[in-house]
Amino acid sequence: MYIAEIAPAKWRGRLVGFFQFNVVFGILLAYLSNYLVGLLQFGDYEWRWKLGIAAVPAVFFFLTLFGIPRSPRWLVKEEEAGGSKRSAAPNRRREF
Protein backbone atom coordinates (compact mmCIF):
# COMPACT_ATOMS: atom_id res chain seq x y z
CA MET A 1 0.00 0.00 0.00
CA TYR A 2 2.85 2.40 0.81
CA ILE A 3 4.37 2.06 -2.65
CA ALA A 4 1.02 2.71 -4.31
CA GLU A 5 0.56 5.87 -2.23
CA ILE A 6 3.88 7.53 -2.92
CA ALA A 7 4.69 6.31 -6.45
CA PRO A 8 3.97 8.51 -9.46
CA ALA A 9 1.01 7.23 -11.49
CA LYS A 10 3.30 6.46 -14.41
CA TRP A 11 5.37 3.99 -12.36
CA ARG A 12 2.83 2.78 -9.79
CA GLY A 13 1.93 -0.57 -11.36
CA ARG A 14 5.52 -1.41 -12.14
CA LEU A 15 6.74 -0.65 -8.63
CA VAL A 16 3.92 -2.56 -6.93
CA GLY A 17 4.55 -5.53 -9.23
CA PHE A 18 8.28 -5.37 -8.54
CA PHE A 19 7.58 -5.37 -4.82
CA GLN A 20 5.41 -8.47 -5.18
CA PHE A 21 8.13 -10.16 -7.22
CA ASN A 22 10.67 -9.39 -4.48
CA VAL A 23 8.41 -10.96 -1.85
CA VAL A 24 8.11 -14.17 -3.88
CA PHE A 25 11.85 -14.17 -4.63
CA GLY A 26 12.57 -13.76 -0.91
CA ILE A 27 10.42 -16.79 -0.14
CA LEU A 28 12.33 -18.75 -2.75
CA LEU A 29 15.64 -17.70 -1.18
CA ALA A 30 14.35 -18.77 2.24
CA TYR A 31 13.50 -22.23 0.91
CA LEU A 32 16.89 -22.46 -0.77
CA SER A 33 18.79 -21.41 2.36
CA ASN A 34 16.82 -23.90 4.46
CA TYR A 35 17.62 -26.64 1.97
CA LEU A 36 21.34 -25.78 2.04
CA VAL A 37 21.40 -25.68 5.84
CA GLY A 38 19.65 -29.07 5.83
CA LEU A 39 22.44 -30.49 3.69
CA LEU A 40 25.02 -29.45 6.28
CA GLN A 41 23.48 -31.81 8.86
CA PHE A 42 23.70 -29.64 11.98
CA GLY A 43 21.63 -32.16 13.92
CA ASP A 44 19.62 -30.78 16.83
CA TYR A 45 20.83 -27.23 16.10
CA GLU A 46 19.62 -27.18 12.49
CA TRP A 47 16.35 -25.39 13.24
CA ARG A 48 18.29 -22.62 15.02
CA TRP A 49 20.47 -22.05 11.97
CA LYS A 50 17.41 -21.94 9.71
CA LEU A 51 15.68 -19.45 11.97
CA GLY A 52 18.80 -17.33 12.39
CA ILE A 53 19.52 -17.12 8.67
CA ALA A 54 15.93 -16.09 7.98
CA ALA A 55 16.13 -13.45 10.73
CA VAL A 56 19.07 -11.60 9.15
CA PRO A 57 17.13 -9.98 6.27
CA ALA A 58 14.16 -9.39 8.58
CA VAL A 59 16.33 -7.40 10.99
CA PHE A 60 17.87 -5.46 8.08
CA PHE A 61 14.40 -4.62 6.75
CA PHE A 62 13.22 -3.53 10.19
CA LEU A 63 16.19 -1.19 10.61
CA THR A 64 15.71 0.39 7.18
CA LEU A 65 12.04 1.12 7.95
CA PHE A 66 13.17 4.01 10.14
CA GLY A 67 14.59 5.77 7.08
CA ILE A 68 11.48 5.87 4.89
CA PRO A 69 9.20 8.92 4.89
CA ARG A 70 5.72 8.75 6.36
CA SER A 71 2.95 8.14 3.85
CA PRO A 72 0.52 10.92 2.94
CA ARG A 73 -2.35 8.75 4.21
CA TRP A 74 -0.77 8.45 7.66
CA LEU A 75 -0.14 12.20 7.83
CA VAL A 76 -3.76 12.95 6.95
CA LYS A 77 -4.92 10.44 9.53
CA GLU A 78 -2.82 12.22 12.13
CA GLU A 79 -4.49 15.51 11.09
CA GLU A 80 -1.40 16.99 9.53
CA ALA A 81 -2.89 17.79 6.14
CA GLY A 82 -0.15 20.35 5.49
CA GLY A 83 2.48 17.72 6.17
CA SER A 84 0.69 15.36 3.84
CA LYS A 85 0.89 17.83 0.99
CA ARG A 86 4.57 18.42 1.68
CA SER A 87 5.25 14.67 1.70
CA ALA A 88 3.39 13.97 -1.55
CA ALA A 89 4.49 17.02 -3.52
CA PRO A 90 8.11 16.01 -4.21
CA ASN A 91 6.98 12.66 -5.60
CA ARG A 92 4.74 14.29 -8.16
CA ARG A 93 7.49 16.49 -9.55
CA ARG A 94 10.19 13.86 -9.62
CA GLU A 95 10.75 11.98 -12.85
CA PHE A 96 12.34 8.55 -12.61
Side-chain angles (χ1 to χ4, degrees):
M1 184 63 141
Y2 178 78
I3 294 172
E5 287 180 4
I6 66 166
K10 175 179 163 183
W11 291 89
R12 191 169 299 140
R14 228 177 272 184
L15 291 174
V16 171
F18 188 64
F19 171 76
Q20 186 63 38
F21 173 78
N22 284 334
V23 168
V24 173
F25 187 67
I27 292 169
L28 177 67
L29 287 178
Y31 280 127
L32 180 65
S33 70
N34 284 340
Y35 173 73
L36 294 175
V37 168
L39 291 177
L40 296 175
Q41 309 257 336
F42 285 121
D44 291 340
Y45 298 106
E46 186 173 311
W47 70 271
R48 293 178 180 152
W49 278 95
K50 290 179 179 182
L51 184 64
I53 290 172
V56 170
V59 169
F60 175 72
F61 179 74
F62 177 73
L63 294 175
T64 58
L65 281 177
F66 294 106
I68 62 171
R70 296 208 163 102
S71 74
R73 181 182 298 235
W74 183 87
L75 291 171
V76 168
K77 181 181 166 194
E78 295 296 315
E79 299 175 354
E80 293 181 17
S84 172
K85 290 176 185 170
R86 277 180 281 146
S87 174
N91 293 326
R92 291 196 179 125
R93 285 184 257 140
R94 189 180 316 149
E95 288 296 323
F96 293 94

